[in-house]
Amino acid sequence: MKEKNTFDSTTTLVLGKVTYDKNEDKIIFDLNFPEIQKWVFQDTTLYKYGNDSILKEVVVGKFGELSIFKEILEVKDNDFGLKKVGFVIDKVEQAGKETIVYWKPPTQMATFLKSATTVVEDNLLRSIFFTDVDDKVINSSYFDEYKIIKGLPVPCKIQSRWKGQKQEIFKILTFDQVEIK
């Protein structure tokens, strides 16, 4: 994972192994660079461990519902789990090989989100965008380098951008040696 934060002009490189436990809806990052740590995302919390003791506990929201790992294992509609959390289709457009789907957020998110947009090509999710109520893109993700593993399409490169009021974070996740058990 490579991450660049424009607010504090930092760039981070993190290497390790990631495991998604579907039964417990838990994501575990076993990191070996730049330092040995374990990050566990479960329910609404991120737990950071070092030397078998908890270093930090942060509430991050319902991370699991829109997790790419869950989406990979539950490939259904190429909607990144939007239907499951209450988004509804507003309209659908065809642009060449791409199918562009515009989504309205559920009522509880409508105070801060105006819409989501998914782009599907060759029956693979290629990108997703979220816009705030001011019609500004606050989150975008692009999915590339798909490999078929145990019959499931797995994007081995994911590029994301989060934009806040004072900062912008760019993140690139790359995967190799992917296993599905």
Side-chain angles (χ1 to χ4, degrees), residues 13-132:
L13 174 65
V14 177
L15 301 174
K17 177 181 176 182
V18 64
T19 305
Y20 173 67
D21 185 325
K22 181 180 176 181
N23 296 326
E24 293 188 37
D25 196 21
K26 176 170 53 175
I27 301 168
I28 302 168
F29 289 86
D30 283 310
L31 307 178
N32 54 34
F33 181 86
E35 55 190 295
I36 296 173
Q37 284 189 355
K38 179 181 275 193
W39 298 353
V40 179
F41 289 89
Q42 188 165 24
D43 295 322
T44 60
T45 308
L46 163 62
Y47 303 93
K48 289 187 176 184
Y49 298 91
N51 297 326
D52 293 326
S53 61
I54 194 159
L55 302 173
K56 192 173 191 180
E57 185 176 322
V58 181
V59 175
V60 292
K62 193 61 177 157
F63 181 83
E65 287 302 318
L66 294 176
S67 163
I68 186 59
F69 305 109
K70 180 181 269 189
E71 177 67 17
I72 289 168
L73 295 175
E74 297 178 359
V75 173
K76 293 179 188 145
D77 301 319
N78 283 320
D79 70 354
F80 199 68
L82 294 175
K83 279 184 199 170
K84 187 173 181 177
V85 294
F87 281 78
V88 293
I89 294 175
D90 186 31
K91 69 178 179 175
V92 178
E93 292 178 355
Q94 196 68 35
K97 293 182 176 181
E98 296 180 336
T99 302
I100 303 164
V101 182
Y102 300 90
W103 301 82
K104 287 185 178 182
T107 306
Q108 67 270 23
M109 293 182 190
T111 58
F112 59 92
L113 280 180
K114 181 177 182 181
S115 66
T117 305
T118 54
V119 178
V120 175
E121 183 181 343
D122 297 327
N123 203 30
L124 298 171
L125 180 64
R126 294 296 181 176
S127 59
I128 184 168
F129 303 88
F130 292 92
T131 57
D132 67 11

Side-chain angles (χ1 to χ4, degrees), residues 121-155:
E121 183 181 343
D122 297 327
N123 203 30
L124 298 171
L125 180 64
R126 294 296 181 176
S127 59
I128 184 168
F129 303 88
F130 292 92
T131 57
D132 67 11
V133 293
D134 296 323
D135 219 18
K136 293 180 184 165
V137 175
I138 55 171
N139 180 285
S140 56
S141 295
Y142 300 87
F143 309 95
D144 280 318
E145 299 178 18
Y146 276 89
K147 292 181 183 174
I148 304 300
I149 301 170
K150 289 200 172 181
L152 298 173
V154 176

